[in-house]
Amino acid sequence: VLKRPKDSVHVLVGDIGGGFGQKTSLYPEDGIVAYAATKLNRKVRWRGDRTDEFVGGTHGRDLTSTGEFALDARGRVLAYRVRSVGGTGAYSSGAGNIIPLVLGPFVQSGVYDLPLVHYEVKSVMTHTAPVGAYRGAGRPEGVFIVERLMDAAARQIGMDPRAIRKVNYIKPAQLPYTNPVGQVYDSGAFAHMLERASKLADWDGFAARKKAAKKKGLLYGRGLTSYIEWTGGRAHTEKVSLHATAEGRIILHSGTMAMGQGLQTTFTQMASNALGISMDKIDIVQGDTDLATGFGSVGSRSLFVGGTALAVSAADMIAKAREKASNILEASVEDIEYREGMLTVVGTDKRIGLFEIAKKESGARLSVDSEGEVDGPSWPNGTHICEVEIDPETGVTKIVRYTTVDDVGVAVNPMLVTGQIHGGVAQGIGQALYEGVSYDPEGQLLTASYQDYCLPRADDIPPIAVALDDSAPCKTNPLGAKGCGESGTIGGTPCLVNGVIDALSELGIKNLATPLTPMKVWQAIRDAQAGA
């Protein structure tokens, strides 16, 4: 935009709240503000309001799909066909075309071994706001199709929704498994996840709960989803720099960015564990392009790619410190042992501290620049089960139970991962039941404020029981970790829609397009009753 060398631009990032994909791309206002500042040689500030964001920010999930299964008598899927049209809005922006054409198909076959697959996907321009990445970016839509079909097929042939999935799951012996579009799943235990979730959700107690709801005049349904997620953003390397200072601090500079996912905490834990230095002596510095650049935080890559770089840098720091200590203590490197910030000649009391070595270095710090690389994307997956009740007089859906078992590989901080799952499910609930952009025939946006655009509130979100499962660690990185930031929304939307359709199925209602708003559900119930 500015037509000047990259090293003449300094970007400092403050607190940005959540990212969710919408903040990934450069917006015109970003460029205009920087351009004006250089032309006027003075500070320039611009602040948009909420309506600016609704009108000018990228929108998400503009995909219309028709899917079909061909099955045998056992419920085995013999063929799978999907025809999709993805809207990109009036302008091509960022990942607008990649989302329906590439990222959705990456996971569109889900966790199933489907022998014959045909995808036909078109990306079209429309008279709407540009479409871009939003938490999951194509994967929620892709998993939605196959999971809706699994439930619809089970209902049509009179099969238990768990049984039909078990028949079609990729088996452990098939891993690593290459899916129909050439993506390789390195690890997973899909049937195991279903069994754990079924037990935790009290699957067998559903009938009694449904009977109790019926006595109150409510429709009651259960939703099930087995999801898989592609992570990494197609960027499998990350650079970091690590410094030990004379003041007794460890400083990490990383090009990844904290945006509510607790990255500073996780990186601090990892550095503390690797170096044996207490967490209160570790500083994580991000969001400063003079100190670190990288691909950044997108596609749930921060921990398993950025964390791998951190692990490499810690090992590099220890190796460099051992070399320095060997010269200072006049011993061979092989005889230098590192433990909890101290370097000792084995079998003697000769030792020197890491921070003492830093004091002797130029600039009073010992530094390493490192690069971490993973072998490929990670494939977090899991099973979500929900139960919903619907008031047929109002069409209002209430989520009464929600259970997940999520395979994120090795979780560095389970509490933070659980929070990520919670947040993702909340956004999946919004997609399923509440959130929808509307335009009038002339192209005027009708939902440009929170008075018109419905978000789930706290009292719309049920308690979410999250169990993490590390029985199938990732094999593409040394941490065994899988990305987790987007998983909840990928499993959440189809799980909720399956639950609502299950509740409505006794009225003969087989399908509704999201969002399943009270008006849409109420109208479907009225139409079904009138048709009966």
Side-chain angles (χ1 to χ4, degrees):
V1 172
L2 301 177
K3 304 294 189 290
R4 60 192 294 164
K6 266 199 248 185
D7 60 11
S8 72
V9 179
H10 185 200
V11 178
L12 285 168
V13 183
D15 291 331
I16 62 170
F20 306 124
Q22 197 198 35
K23 298 179 182 178
T24 302
S25 302
L26 185 80
Y27 283 95
E29 294 83 359
D30 302 326
I32 290 169
V33 167
Y35 179 80
T38 57
K39 284 295 180 184
L40 299 175
N41 195 31
R42 60 185 295 180
K43 294 178 181 178
V44 175
R45 180 180 183 224
W46 176 84
R47 182 178 67 185
D49 59 25
R50 183 64 67 190
T51 298
D52 286 329
E53 186 69 13
F54 271 107
V55 174
T58 56
H59 293 182
R61 312 273 200 261
D62 190 2
L63 189 77
T64 302
S65 299
T66 301
E68 300 165 277
F69 273 171
L71 305 104
D72 66 15
R74 296 186 309 119
R76 181 81 168 90
V77 177
L78 304 176
Y80 174 38
R81 178 164 59 194
V82 182
R83 296 183 177 93
S84 298
V85 176
T88 64
Y91 308 93
S92 184
S93 172
N97 287 297
I98 295 172
I99 289 167
L101 297 178
V102 179
L103 302 185
F106 272 2
V107 298
Q108 207 157 253
S109 59
V111 293
Y112 308 107
D113 179 27
L114 308 181
L116 187 61
V117 167
H118 179 84
Y119 298 155
E120 180 183 307
V121 193
K122 295 179 180 179
S123 181
V124 301
M125 298 184 80
T126 62
H127 292 123
T128 68
V131 172
Y134 179 66
R135 200 173 194 168
R139 285 94 77 196
E141 302 95 299
V143 168
F144 182 90
I145 299 164
V146 72
E147 286 302 308
R148 285 290 296 117
L149 280 171
M150 279 291 169
D151 260 35
R155 187 168 291 111
Q156 186 165 321
I157 65 177
M159 196 169 181
D160 181 276
R162 292 181 302 169
I164 195 170
R165 286 172 169 83
K166 288 178 182 178
V167 168
N168 290 286
Y169 278 146
I170 298 161
K171 307 299 187 289
Q174 294 176 279
L175 294 166
Y177 177 86
T178 304
N179 77 6
V181 293
Q183 295 299 303
V184 180
Y185 303 167
D186 64 294
S187 66
F190 312 123
H192 166 69
M193 304 295 284
L194 175 63
E195 289 300 325
R196 275 201 71 189
S198 298
K199 188 179 228 181
L200 292 170
D202 185 24
W203 185 274
D204 295 337
F206 169 74
R209 292 188 289 273
K210 183 178 178 72
K211 185 177 179 181
K214 191 170 184 178
K215 285 183 179 179
K216 296 187 287 186
L218 301 173
L219 301 171
Y220 201 83
R222 174 171 55 196
L224 167 64
T225 286
S226 288
Y227 75 88
I228 194 163
E229 146 78 323
W230 166 88
T231 72
R234 285 184 159 179
H236 299 149
T237 62
E238 191 64 47
K239 295 179 180 179
V240 300
S241 57
L242 191 65
H243 313 274
T245 74
E247 294 77 32
R249 310 292 301 175
I250 297 292
I251 303 172
L252 175 78
H253 295 149
S254 171
T256 59
M257 189 67 221
M259 46 188 167
Q261 77 276 59
L263 206 54
Q264 306 103 312
T265 301
T266 305
F267 280 178
T268 299
Q269 285 180 259
M270 292 181 65
S272 175
N273 290 337
L275 296 174
I277 304 293
S278 64
M279 292 177 64
D280 61 348
K281 294 181 179 178
I282 296 172
D283 302 312
I284 308 299
V285 179
Q286 299 173 299
D288 186 334
T289 57
D290 277 6
L291 299 176
T293 58
F295 190 77
S297 290
V298 64
S300 298
R301 69 183 294 276
S302 300
L303 191 279
F304 87 93
V305 183
T308 293
L310 191 161
V312 170
S313 71
D316 290 347
M317 172 67 77
I318 291 171
K320 189 170 185 177
R322 290 178 67 207
E323 287 182 15
K324 298 286 184 180
S326 71
N327 291 328
I328 296 169
L329 301 176
E330 299 179 337
S332 67
V333 173
E334 291 75 19
D335 289 334
I336 301 295
E337 178 183 65
Y338 177 88
R339 182 176 297 171
E340 297 181 350
M342 296 301 299
L343 295 108
T344 306
V345 179
V346 176
T348 75
D349 59 359
K350 294 174 67 177
R351 59 195 319 211
I352 187 171
L354 176 63
F355 302 119
E356 291 178 71
I357 294 175
K359 193 178 295 185
K360 299 176 183 293
E361 292 292 294
S362 173
R365 61 171 56 188
L366 182 67
S367 302
V368 293
D369 294 314
S370 305
E371 180 176 277
E373 182 173 7
V374 299
D375 295 334
S378 76
W379 299 94
N381 61 87
T383 296
H384 289 204
I385 298 173
C386 74
E387 294 181 16
V388 303
E389 58 184 29
I390 300 171
D391 183 345
E393 296 299 320
T394 63
V396 171
T397 299
K398 181 181 179 183
I399 310 161
V400 292
R401 296 170 70 93
Y402 203 104
T403 304
T404 84
V405 177
D406 298 279
D407 171 7
V408 298
V410 177
V412 175
N413 188 313
M415 183 184 292
L416 289 173
V417 172
T418 299
Q420 288 291 292
I421 302 298
H422 280 175
V425 170
Q427 285 174 286
I429 290 170
Q431 173 76 24
L433 303 182
Y434 302 102
E435 299 184 52
V437 165
S438 295
Y439 289 86
D440 70 12
E442 302 301 316
Q444 179 69 36
L445 182 64
L446 301 176
T447 49
S449 77
Y450 284 143
Q451 287 182 307
D452 306 301
Y453 185 92
C454 186
L455 286 173
R457 304 191 312 177
D459 57 353
D460 298 314
I461 309 296
I464 302 169
V466 176
L468 304 181
D469 193 294
D470 61 1
S471 61
C474 185
K475 297 180 179 179
T476 63
N477 67 79
L479 308 177
K482 303 178 184 181
C484 70
E486 296 164 279
S487 299
T489 192
I490 294 167
T493 302
C495 183
L496 260 297
V497 174
N498 279 342
V500 172
I501 297 301
D502 183 53
L504 297 174
S505 63
E506 62 185 73
L507 301 176
I509 299 168
K510 296 180 179 179
N511 192 43
L512 289 174
T514 59
L516 307 186
T517 61
M519 174 60 82
K520 191 178 292 183
V521 171
W522 179 86
Q523 190 62 57
I525 292 171
R526 296 285 84 74
D527 292 346
Q529 291 171 336

